[in-house]
Amino acid sequence: MDESVPTINIRNISIKCGNCGEYQTLCGFSRRDDWHIYVYECENQICDPQVTRTLVEVPVFLDEFARRDPQWRGGRSGHER
């Protein structure tokens, strides 16, 4: 990867709930075409996840977190480049 291209590391992003004001927790991951979709939810008894769930979509080519941790289910295996 070209080092001059900016990247996004999902672990460096804080997601706050617009309903309760608490920080949400990364709880899911999926792929859609050339995008990684990270799912965040509140871990309290106040918010209904069906209403307050947050989806963050990151283009695969910018997703530093998935590239750096190949053992994680969203990461690249060693042979993918």
Side-chain angles (χ1 to χ4, degrees):
M1 169 130 212
D2 182 355
E3 294 298 321
S4 65
V5 175
T7 59
I8 297 169
N9 189 325
I10 202 72
R11 292 292 188 191
N12 294 334
I13 297 174
S14 296
I15 306 295
K16 262 187 139 173
C17 177
N19 182 55
C20 71
E22 296 295 321
Y23 289 99
Q24 293 185 324
T25 302
L26 177 60
C27 65
F29 172 83
S30 63
R31 294 180 177 151
R32 180 180 49 81
D33 301 323
D34 291 332
W35 294 84
H36 288 162
I37 296 96
Y38 294 90
V39 181
Y40 288 81
E41 292 179 358
C42 295
E43 289 186 348
N44 59 36
Q45 303 303 314
I46 299 168
C47 296
D48 175 0
Q50 296 298 324
V51 177
T52 61
R53 180 175 294 127
T54 302
L55 305 179
V56 177
E57 297 182 350
V58 179
V60 170
F61 73 95
L62 293 179
D63 196 347
E64 177 184 9
F65 176 68
R67 280 196 314 273
R68 287 188 176 231
D69 189 356
Q71 300 304 317
W72 182 68
R73 64 185 168 145
R76 282 184 169 177
S77 64
H79 63 278
E80 291 180 45
R81 296 277 180 236

